[in-house]
């Protein structure tokens, strides 16, 4: 599936750029018995419904022509959202100094979630500052990192 997502991202990036947007993420997942192809977009100042609609209308025929997805699927374009997941190293660089929530596979120091200011990212290890103290969470402990608007 990684190749499919990479192919869709490559097709979507120039289309999104035409509308002043960037592709934040692409996912292809099965939910409630149906396959969903979702393209998440972002732009300075945020994305509105008109942006999503414009990118969707422009990208739909590109996907139809390239036909990178086998079988039928539901296609959606939406905003990356204010509390988006950080996945790539560039995501972490972009939001250095921002409030994040680190979710763990197993409790770490008695909790499955920690909220703090993003202070570092290296090879999957995440450092956040909580109440003035920096905490390093190893890649093997980190299930997900999301932006947070409030503590």
């Amino acid at each position: 599936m990684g190749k499919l997502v990479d192919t869709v991202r490559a097709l979507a990036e120039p289309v999104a750029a035409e509308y002043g947007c960037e592709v934040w993420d692409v996912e292809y997942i099965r939910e409630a018995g149906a396959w969903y192809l979702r393209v998440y977009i972002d732009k300075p100042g945020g994305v509105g419904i008109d942006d999503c609609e414009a990118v969707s209308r422009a990208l739909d025929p590109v996907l139809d022509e390239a036909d990178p997805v086998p079988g039928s699927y539901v296609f959606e374009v939406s905003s990356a959202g204010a509390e988006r997941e950080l996945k790539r190293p560039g995501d972490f660089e972009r939001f250095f100094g921002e409030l994040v929530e680190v979710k763990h596979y197993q409790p770490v120091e008695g909790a499955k979630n920690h909220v703090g200011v993003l202070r570092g990212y290296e090879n999957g290890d995440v450092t956040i500052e909580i109440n003035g103290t920096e905490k390093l969470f190893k890649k093997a402990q980190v299930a997900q990192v999301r932006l947070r608007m409030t503590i």
Side-chain angles (χ1 to χ4, degrees):
M1 263 192 248
K3 185 177 181 192
L4 183 145
V5 167
D6 291 343
T7 300
V8 171
R9 177 184 290 277
L11 292 167
E13 284 176 341
V15 173
E18 288 178 31
Y19 295 91
C21 299
E22 67 175 311
V23 174
W24 179 261
D25 198 10
V26 175
E27 67 179 9
Y28 182 62
I29 59 172
R30 190 166 179 87
E31 291 179 354
W35 283 98
Y36 287 81
L37 175 64
R38 292 191 180 109
V39 176
Y40 296 95
I41 59 174
D42 193 25
K43 74 176 186 181
V47 169
I49 189 122
D50 292 340
D51 299 307
C52 295
E53 183 179 353
V55 172
S56 177
R57 288 181 189 271
L59 182 54
D60 192 41
V62 172
L63 292 172
D64 284 347
E65 184 177 321
D67 199 22
V69 183
S72 63
Y73 60 92
V74 177
F75 174 55
E76 298 176 348
V77 174
S78 60
S79 166
E83 294 194 352
R84 68 192 66 180
E85 184 176 0
L86 306 182
K87 294 182 177 181
R88 300 172 307 272
D91 300 345
F92 289 89
E93 290 171 18
R94 180 175 172 182
F95 291 102
F96 185 82
E98 299 292 329
L99 192 64
V100 297
E101 178 180 18
V102 179
K103 294 183 180 184
H104 307 288
Y105 293 109
Q106 300 292 325
V108 176
E109 298 179 6
K112 286 196 76 172
N113 301 340
H114 287 90
V115 176
V117 176
L118 180 61
R119 293 294 181 216
Y121 177 84
E122 186 173 341
N123 298 321
D125 296 346
V126 178
T127 303
I128 63 173
E129 181 182 328
I130 304 170
N131 298 324
T133 303
E134 287 194 358
K135 303 258 185 200
L136 170 68
F137 300 109
K138 295 300 223 174
K139 180 179 181 176
Q141 299 172 306
V142 178
Q144 183 183 71
V145 179
R146 285 191 171 280
L147 288 178
R148 283 286 299 262
M149 299 311 297
T150 61
I151 293 180

Short mmCIF file of all heavy atoms in Angstrom, two decimals, residues 1-18 21-28 37-42 55 58-59 62-63 66-69 73 75-78 80 84-91 94:
data_model
loop_
_atom_site.label_atom_id
_atom_site.label_comp_id
_atom_site.label_asym_id
_atom_site.label_seq_id
_atom_site.Cartn_x
_atom_site.Cartn_y
_atom_site.Cartn_z
N MET A 1 0.79 -1.20 0.00
CA MET A 1 0.00 0.00 0.00
C MET A 1 0.84 1.27 0.00
O MET A 1 0.37 2.30 -0.42
CB MET A 1 -0.95 0.00 1.18
CG MET A 1 -2.30 -0.49 0.74
SD MET A 1 -3.61 -0.27 1.84
CE MET A 1 -3.92 -1.95 2.26
N GLY A 2 2.08 1.15 0.47
CA GLY A 2 2.95 2.31 0.48
C GLY A 2 3.16 2.86 -0.92
O GLY A 2 3.18 4.08 -1.13
N LYS A 3 3.31 1.96 -1.90
CA LYS A 3 3.51 2.40 -3.27
C LYS A 3 2.28 3.11 -3.81
O LYS A 3 2.39 4.13 -4.49
CB LYS A 3 3.88 1.20 -4.16
CG LYS A 3 4.21 1.61 -5.56
CD LYS A 3 4.63 0.44 -6.42
CE LYS A 3 4.95 0.98 -7.79
NZ LYS A 3 5.12 0.01 -8.80
N LEU A 4 1.10 2.58 -3.50
CA LEU A 4 -0.15 3.20 -3.95
C LEU A 4 -0.27 4.61 -3.38
O LEU A 4 -0.57 5.56 -4.10
CB LEU A 4 -1.34 2.34 -3.51
CG LEU A 4 -2.70 2.82 -3.98
CD1 LEU A 4 -3.60 1.64 -4.27
CD2 LEU A 4 -3.34 3.74 -2.99
N VAL A 5 -0.02 4.75 -2.08
CA VAL A 5 -0.10 6.06 -1.43
C VAL A 5 0.93 7.02 -2.03
O VAL A 5 0.62 8.19 -2.28
CB VAL A 5 0.08 5.90 0.10
CG1 VAL A 5 0.31 7.23 0.78
CG2 VAL A 5 -1.13 5.20 0.70
N ASP A 6 2.14 6.53 -2.27
CA ASP A 6 3.18 7.37 -2.89
C ASP A 6 2.78 7.83 -4.28
O ASP A 6 3.00 8.98 -4.67
CB ASP A 6 4.52 6.63 -2.94
CG ASP A 6 5.13 6.41 -1.57
OD1 ASP A 6 4.71 7.09 -0.61
OD2 ASP A 6 6.03 5.55 -1.46
N THR A 7 2.17 6.93 -5.05
CA THR A 7 1.72 7.26 -6.41
C THR A 7 0.63 8.32 -6.37
O THR A 7 0.67 9.29 -7.13
CB THR A 7 1.21 6.00 -7.14
OG1 THR A 7 2.28 5.05 -7.22
CG2 THR A 7 0.71 6.32 -8.53
N VAL A 8 -0.33 8.14 -5.48
CA VAL A 8 -1.42 9.11 -5.36
C VAL A 8 -0.87 10.46 -4.90
O VAL A 8 -1.25 11.51 -5.42
CB VAL A 8 -2.52 8.60 -4.41
CG1 VAL A 8 -3.54 9.70 -4.12
CG2 VAL A 8 -3.21 7.38 -5.01
N ARG A 9 0.08 10.44 -3.96
CA ARG A 9 0.69 11.70 -3.49
C ARG A 9 1.36 12.42 -4.66
O ARG A 9 1.18 13.62 -4.83
CB ARG A 9 1.71 11.42 -2.39
CG ARG A 9 2.43 12.70 -1.92
CD ARG A 9 3.51 12.40 -0.90
NE ARG A 9 2.96 11.99 0.36
CZ ARG A 9 2.53 12.83 1.31
NH1 ARG A 9 2.59 14.12 1.13
NH2 ARG A 9 2.06 12.37 2.44
N ALA A 10 2.09 11.68 -5.47
CA ALA A 10 2.78 12.29 -6.62
C ALA A 10 1.79 12.89 -7.61
O ALA A 10 2.04 13.94 -8.21
CB ALA A 10 3.67 11.25 -7.30
N LEU A 11 0.65 12.24 -7.80
CA LEU A 11 -0.38 12.76 -8.69
C LEU A 11 -1.08 13.98 -8.08
O LEU A 11 -1.44 14.93 -8.78
CB LEU A 11 -1.42 11.68 -9.00
CG LEU A 11 -0.95 10.50 -9.85
CD1 LEU A 11 -1.97 9.37 -9.80
CD2 LEU A 11 -0.67 10.94 -11.27
N ALA A 12 -1.28 13.96 -6.76
CA ALA A 12 -2.05 15.00 -6.08
C ALA A 12 -1.25 16.28 -5.84
O ALA A 12 -1.83 17.38 -5.85
CB ALA A 12 -2.57 14.47 -4.75
N GLU A 13 0.06 16.18 -5.64
CA GLU A 13 0.84 17.36 -5.28
C GLU A 13 0.75 18.50 -6.30
O GLU A 13 0.49 19.64 -5.92
CB GLU A 13 2.29 16.97 -4.98
CG GLU A 13 2.41 16.30 -3.62
CD GLU A 13 3.79 15.79 -3.28
OE1 GLU A 13 4.63 15.59 -4.20
OE2 GLU A 13 4.02 15.56 -2.07
N PRO A 14 0.95 18.25 -7.60
CA PRO A 14 0.84 19.37 -8.54
C PRO A 14 -0.58 19.93 -8.64
O PRO A 14 -0.77 21.13 -8.84
CB PRO A 14 1.32 18.80 -9.87
CG PRO A 14 1.32 17.33 -9.72
CD PRO A 14 1.40 17.02 -8.27
N VAL A 15 -1.58 19.08 -8.48
CA VAL A 15 -2.96 19.54 -8.53
C VAL A 15 -3.25 20.45 -7.33
O VAL A 15 -3.80 21.55 -7.48
CB VAL A 15 -3.95 18.35 -8.56
CG1 VAL A 15 -5.39 18.83 -8.44
CG2 VAL A 15 -3.75 17.52 -9.82
N ALA A 16 -2.85 20.02 -6.15
CA ALA A 16 -3.05 20.83 -4.95
C ALA A 16 -2.31 22.16 -5.06
O ALA A 16 -2.84 23.21 -4.69
CB ALA A 16 -2.60 20.07 -3.71
N ALA A 17 -1.10 22.12 -5.61
CA ALA A 17 -0.30 23.34 -5.75
C ALA A 17 -0.99 24.36 -6.65
O ALA A 17 -0.86 25.57 -6.42
CB ALA A 17 1.08 22.99 -6.29
N GLU A 18 -1.72 23.90 -7.65
CA GLU A 18 -2.47 24.81 -8.53
C GLU A 18 -3.48 25.65 -7.74
O GLU A 18 -3.85 26.75 -8.18
CB GLU A 18 -3.23 24.02 -9.60
CG GLU A 18 -2.37 23.41 -10.67
CD GLU A 18 -3.20 22.61 -11.67
OE1 GLU A 18 -4.38 22.97 -11.90
OE2 GLU A 18 -2.66 21.63 -12.21
N CYS A 21 -2.35 24.99 -2.37
CA CYS A 21 -2.35 24.04 -1.25
C CYS A 21 -1.17 23.08 -1.37
O CYS A 21 -0.54 22.98 -2.41
CB CYS A 21 -3.65 23.23 -1.24
SG CYS A 21 -5.14 24.22 -1.03
N GLU A 22 -0.92 22.36 -0.28
CA GLU A 22 0.05 21.29 -0.30
C GLU A 22 -0.62 20.02 0.19
O GLU A 22 -1.61 20.08 0.93
CB GLU A 22 1.26 21.62 0.60
CG GLU A 22 0.93 21.66 2.07
CD GLU A 22 2.13 21.87 2.97
OE1 GLU A 22 3.14 21.16 2.79
OE2 GLU A 22 2.05 22.73 3.84
N VAL A 23 -0.11 18.89 -0.25
CA VAL A 23 -0.64 17.62 0.23
C VAL A 23 0.03 17.32 1.57
O VAL A 23 1.26 17.23 1.65
CB VAL A 23 -0.37 16.47 -0.78
CG1 VAL A 23 -0.79 15.13 -0.19
CG2 VAL A 23 -1.10 16.75 -2.09
N TRP A 24 -0.77 17.20 2.60
CA TRP A 24 -0.24 16.90 3.93
C TRP A 24 -0.07 15.40 4.10
O TRP A 24 0.94 14.93 4.59
CB TRP A 24 -1.17 17.46 5.01
CG TRP A 24 -0.66 17.14 6.37
CD1 TRP A 24 -1.06 16.11 7.18
CD2 TRP A 24 0.39 17.81 7.06
NE1 TRP A 24 -0.32 16.11 8.33
CE2 TRP A 24 0.57 17.16 8.28
CE3 TRP A 24 1.18 18.91 6.76
CZ2 TRP A 24 1.52 17.56 9.21
CZ3 TRP A 24 2.12 19.31 7.68
CH2 TRP A 24 2.29 18.65 8.88
N ASP A 25 -1.08 14.64 3.66
CA ASP A 25 -1.03 13.19 3.83
C ASP A 25 -1.98 12.54 2.85
O ASP A 25 -2.91 13.18 2.34
CB ASP A 25 -1.44 12.83 5.27
CG ASP A 25 -1.02 11.43 5.70
OD1 ASP A 25 -0.24 10.78 4.97
OD2 ASP A 25 -1.46 10.98 6.77
N VAL A 26 -1.74 11.26 2.59
CA VAL A 26 -2.63 10.44 1.78
C VAL A 26 -2.82 9.13 2.53
O VAL A 26 -1.85 8.56 3.03
CB VAL A 26 -2.04 10.15 0.38
CG1 VAL A 26 -2.94 9.20 -0.40
CG2 VAL A 26 -1.81 11.44 -0.39
N GLU A 27 -4.06 8.68 2.63
CA GLU A 27 -4.29 7.38 3.25
C GLU A 27 -5.27 6.57 2.40
O GLU A 27 -6.17 7.12 1.77
CB GLU A 27 -4.77 7.50 4.69
CG GLU A 27 -6.14 8.09 4.89
CD GLU A 27 -6.57 8.17 6.35
OE1 GLU A 27 -5.75 7.92 7.26
OE2 GLU A 27 -7.74 8.49 6.57
N TYR A 28 -5.05 5.28 2.41
CA TYR A 28 -5.92 4.34 1.71
C TYR A 28 -6.26 3.26 2.73
O TYR A 28 -5.40 2.45 3.10
CB TYR A 28 -5.20 3.76 0.49
CG TYR A 28 -6.04 2.80 -0.32
CD1 TYR A 28 -7.21 3.21 -0.94
CD2 TYR A 28 -5.64 1.48 -0.50
CE1 TYR A 28 -7.97 2.34 -1.70
CE2 TYR A 28 -6.39 0.60 -1.26
CZ TYR A 28 -7.55 1.03 -1.85
OH TYR A 28 -8.30 0.16 -2.60
N LEU A 37 -9.98 6.39 -0.09
CA LEU A 37 -8.75 7.08 -0.47
C LEU A 37 -8.95 8.52 -0.03
O LEU A 37 -9.83 9.23 -0.52
CB LEU A 37 -8.53 7.02 -1.99
CG LEU A 37 -7.33 7.81 -2.49
CD1 LEU A 37 -6.02 7.25 -1.94
CD2 LEU A 37 -7.30 7.81 -4.02
N ARG A 38 -8.13 8.95 0.94
CA ARG A 38 -8.24 10.30 1.47
C ARG A 38 -6.96 11.08 1.20
O ARG A 38 -5.86 10.60 1.48
CB ARG A 38 -8.51 10.27 2.97
CG ARG A 38 -9.86 9.71 3.31
CD ARG A 38 -10.21 9.93 4.78
NE ARG A 38 -11.52 9.36 5.05
CZ ARG A 38 -11.72 8.26 5.77
NH1 ARG A 38 -10.71 7.63 6.31
NH2 ARG A 38 -12.94 7.82 5.96
N VAL A 39 -7.15 12.27 0.69
CA VAL A 39 -6.04 13.19 0.47
C VAL A 39 -6.28 14.37 1.40
O VAL A 39 -7.32 15.04 1.32
CB VAL A 39 -5.98 13.66 -1.01
CG1 VAL A 39 -4.89 14.69 -1.19
CG2 VAL A 39 -5.77 12.46 -1.93
N TYR A 40 -5.33 14.59 2.30
CA TYR A 40 -5.41 15.69 3.25
C TYR A 40 -4.56 16.84 2.74
O TYR A 40 -3.40 16.63 2.38
CB TYR A 40 -4.93 15.27 4.64
CG TYR A 40 -5.79 14.19 5.25
CD1 TYR A 40 -5.47 12.85 5.14
CD2 TYR A 40 -6.95 14.53 5.95
CE1 TYR A 40 -6.26 11.87 5.70
CE2 TYR A 40 -7.76 13.56 6.51
CZ TYR A 40 -7.40 12.22 6.39
OH TYR A 40 -8.20 11.25 6.94
N ILE A 41 -5.13 18.04 2.71
CA ILE A 41 -4.42 19.20 2.19
C ILE A 41 -4.28 20.28 3.26
O ILE A 41 -5.02 20.29 4.24
CB ILE A 41 -5.10 19.77 0.93
CG1 ILE A 41 -6.56 20.19 1.21
CG2 ILE A 41 -5.03 18.76 -0.23
CD1 ILE A 41 -7.26 20.89 0.05
N ASP A 42 -3.34 21.18 3.01
CA ASP A 42 -3.09 22.28 3.94
C ASP A 42 -2.63 23.48 3.13
O ASP A 42 -2.20 23.33 1.97
CB ASP A 42 -2.02 21.88 4.95
CG ASP A 42 -1.92 22.85 6.12
OD1 ASP A 42 -2.92 23.53 6.43
OD2 ASP A 42 -0.84 22.92 6.74
N VAL A 55 -9.86 21.12 -5.15
CA VAL A 55 -8.81 20.11 -5.33
C VAL A 55 -9.44 18.77 -5.68
O VAL A 55 -8.96 18.06 -6.56
CB VAL A 55 -7.91 20.01 -4.08
CG1 VAL A 55 -6.95 18.83 -4.19
CG2 VAL A 55 -7.13 21.32 -3.89
N ALA A 58 -10.58 18.76 -9.33
CA ALA A 58 -9.44 18.74 -10.26
C ALA A 58 -8.68 17.42 -10.20
O ALA A 58 -8.15 16.95 -11.22
CB ALA A 58 -8.51 19.91 -9.95
N LEU A 59 -8.60 16.83 -9.04
CA LEU A 59 -7.81 15.59 -8.87
C LEU A 59 -8.57 14.35 -9.33
O LEU A 59 -7.96 13.39 -9.82
CB LEU A 59 -7.39 15.45 -7.40
CG LEU A 59 -6.52 14.26 -7.04
CD1 LEU A 59 -5.26 14.20 -7.91
CD2 LEU A 59 -6.15 14.31 -5.56
N VAL A 62 -7.74 13.16 -12.80
CA VAL A 62 -6.33 12.74 -12.85
C VAL A 62 -6.21 11.32 -12.31
O VAL A 62 -5.52 10.48 -12.89
CB VAL A 62 -5.44 13.73 -12.04
CG1 VAL A 62 -4.03 13.20 -11.91
CG2 VAL A 62 -5.45 15.11 -12.68
N LEU A 63 -6.90 11.04 -11.21
CA LEU A 63 -6.88 9.69 -10.64
C LEU A 63 -7.58 8.70 -11.56
O LEU A 63 -7.12 7.56 -11.71
CB LEU A 63 -7.54 9.69 -9.25
CG LEU A 63 -6.79 10.43 -8.15
CD1 LEU A 63 -7.64 10.51 -6.89
CD2 LEU A 63 -5.45 9.77 -7.86
N ALA A 66 -5.04 7.96 -14.44
CA ALA A 66 -3.86 7.20 -14.01
C ALA A 66 -4.26 5.83 -13.46
O ALA A 66 -3.49 4.88 -13.55
CB ALA A 66 -3.09 7.98 -12.96
N ASP A 67 -5.45 5.74 -12.87
CA ASP A 67 -6.01 4.51 -12.33
C ASP A 67 -5.03 3.76 -11.39
O ASP A 67 -4.79 2.57 -11.57
CB ASP A 67 -6.46 3.60 -13.47
CG ASP A 67 -7.44 2.54 -13.02
OD1 ASP A 67 -8.10 2.74 -11.97
OD2 ASP A 67 -7.55 1.50 -13.70
N PRO A 68 -4.50 4.46 -10.35
CA PRO A 68 -3.54 3.80 -9.47
C PRO A 68 -4.17 2.91 -8.40
O PRO A 68 -3.47 2.14 -7.74
CB PRO A 68 -2.85 4.99 -8.79
CG PRO A 68 -3.91 6.03 -8.72
CD PRO A 68 -4.72 5.85 -9.99
N VAL A 69 -5.51 2.98 -8.25
CA VAL A 69 -6.18 2.24 -7.19
C VAL A 69 -7.01 1.11 -7.80
O VAL A 69 -7.89 1.37 -8.61
CB VAL A 69 -7.10 3.17 -6.36
CG1 VAL A 69 -7.75 2.41 -5.22
CG2 VAL A 69 -6.32 4.37 -5.84
N TYR A 73 -13.54 2.55 -4.71
CA TYR A 73 -13.18 3.20 -3.45
C TYR A 73 -13.94 4.51 -3.34
O TYR A 73 -14.45 5.03 -4.32
CB TYR A 73 -11.66 3.47 -3.38
CG TYR A 73 -11.14 4.35 -4.49
CD1 TYR A 73 -11.04 5.73 -4.33
CD2 TYR A 73 -10.75 3.80 -5.71
CE1 TYR A 73 -10.56 6.54 -5.35
CE2 TYR A 73 -10.28 4.61 -6.74
CZ TYR A 73 -10.18 5.97 -6.55
OH TYR A 73 -9.72 6.77 -7.56
N PHE A 75 -13.55 8.41 -2.61
CA PHE A 75 -12.49 9.41 -2.69
C PHE A 75 -12.91 10.66 -1.91
O PHE A 75 -14.00 11.17 -2.10
CB PHE A 75 -12.22 9.77 -4.16
CG PHE A 75 -11.26 10.89 -4.36
CD1 PHE A 75 -9.99 10.85 -3.81
CD2 PHE A 75 -11.62 12.00 -5.10
CE1 PHE A 75 -9.10 11.90 -3.99
CE2 PHE A 75 -10.74 13.05 -5.30
CZ PHE A 75 -9.48 13.00 -4.74
N GLU A 76 -12.01 11.13 -1.02
CA GLU A 76 -12.28 12.32 -0.23
C GLU A 76 -11.05 13.22 -0.20
O GLU A 76 -9.93 12.73 -0.12
CB GLU A 76 -12.62 11.94 1.22
CG GLU A 76 -13.85 11.09 1.39
CD GLU A 76 -14.09 10.65 2.82
OE1 GLU A 76 -13.17 10.81 3.67
OE2 GLU A 76 -15.17 10.13 3.09
N VAL A 77 -11.28 14.51 -0.23
CA VAL A 77 -10.23 15.51 0.00
C VAL A 77 -10.68 16.32 1.20
O VAL A 77 -11.81 16.80 1.24
CB VAL A 77 -10.01 16.43 -1.22
CG1 VAL A 77 -9.02 17.53 -0.89
CG2 VAL A 77 -9.54 15.62 -2.42
N SER A 78 -9.80 16.43 2.19
CA SER A 78 -10.17 17.20 3.37
C SER A 78 -8.97 17.93 3.96
O SER A 78 -7.83 17.67 3.58
CB SER A 78 -10.84 16.31 4.43
OG SER A 78 -9.97 15.29 4.83
N ALA A 80 -6.14 18.93 6.62
CA ALA A 80 -5.30 18.15 7.53
C ALA A 80 -5.76 18.34 8.97
O ALA A 80 -5.51 17.49 9.82
CB ALA A 80 -3.84 18.57 7.37
N ARG A 84 -3.63 17.75 13.59
CA ARG A 84 -3.16 16.74 12.64
C ARG A 84 -2.04 15.87 13.21
O ARG A 84 -1.31 16.29 14.10
CB ARG A 84 -2.68 17.40 11.37
CG ARG A 84 -1.40 18.21 11.62
CD ARG A 84 -1.07 19.11 10.49
NE ARG A 84 -2.11 20.12 10.40
CZ ARG A 84 -2.12 21.07 9.50
NH1 ARG A 84 -1.17 21.15 8.60
NH2 ARG A 84 -3.07 21.95 9.48
N GLU A 85 -1.91 14.71 12.63
CA GLU A 85 -0.83 13.80 13.02
C GLU A 85 0.47 14.22 12.34
O GLU A 85 0.47 14.60 11.17
CB GLU A 85 -1.19 12.36 12.62
CG GLU A 85 -0.17 11.35 13.06
CD GLU A 85 -0.57 9.92 12.75
OE1 GLU A 85 -1.66 9.69 12.18
OE2 GLU A 85 0.22 9.03 13.08
N LEU A 86 1.55 14.15 13.09
CA LEU A 86 2.88 14.41 12.54
C LEU A 86 3.51 13.05 12.23
O LEU A 86 3.55 12.18 13.09
CB LEU A 86 3.74 15.18 13.55
CG LEU A 86 3.15 16.48 14.10
CD1 LEU A 86 4.14 17.14 15.06
CD2 LEU A 86 2.76 17.42 12.99
N LYS A 87 3.98 12.88 11.00
CA LYS A 87 4.51 11.59 10.58
C LYS A 87 5.94 11.68 10.04
O LYS A 87 6.78 10.87 10.39
CB LYS A 87 3.63 10.97 9.48
CG LYS A 87 2.25 10.59 9.94
CD LYS A 87 1.47 9.96 8.80
CE LYS A 87 0.11 9.51 9.24
NZ LYS A 87 -0.63 8.86 8.14
N ARG A 88 6.18 12.62 9.15
CA ARG A 88 7.47 12.72 8.47
C ARG A 88 8.40 13.65 9.23
O ARG A 88 7.94 14.56 9.94
CB ARG A 88 7.27 13.22 7.04
CG ARG A 88 6.39 12.29 6.20
CD ARG A 88 6.04 12.88 4.84
NE ARG A 88 5.46 14.21 4.89
CZ ARG A 88 4.17 14.46 5.02
NH1 ARG A 88 3.31 13.47 5.12
NH2 ARG A 88 3.73 15.69 5.05
N PRO A 89 9.72 13.47 9.09
CA PRO A 89 10.65 14.38 9.77
C PRO A 89 10.35 15.85 9.49
O PRO A 89 10.43 16.68 10.40
CB PRO A 89 12.02 13.97 9.21
CG PRO A 89 11.86 12.52 8.88
CD PRO A 89 10.43 12.40 8.38
N GLY A 90 9.96 16.18 8.28
CA GLY A 90 9.64 17.57 7.94
C GLY A 90 8.44 18.10 8.72
O GLY A 90 8.38 19.29 9.03
N ASP A 91 7.50 17.22 9.06
CA ASP A 91 6.35 17.63 9.87
C ASP A 91 6.83 18.10 11.24
O ASP A 91 6.37 19.12 11.77
CB ASP A 91 5.37 16.47 10.08
CG ASP A 91 4.79 15.91 8.79
OD1 ASP A 91 4.91 16.56 7.73
OD2 ASP A 91 4.21 14.80 8.85
N ARG A 94 8.69 21.44 11.02
CA ARG A 94 7.76 22.55 10.79
C ARG A 94 7.07 23.00 12.07
O ARG A 94 6.78 24.18 12.25
CB ARG A 94 6.73 22.11 9.75
CG ARG A 94 5.70 23.14 9.41
CD ARG A 94 4.83 22.65 8.29
NE ARG A 94 3.71 23.53 8.04
CZ ARG A 94 2.79 23.30 7.15
NH1 ARG A 94 2.84 22.21 6.40
NH2 ARG A 94 1.79 24.13 6.97
#
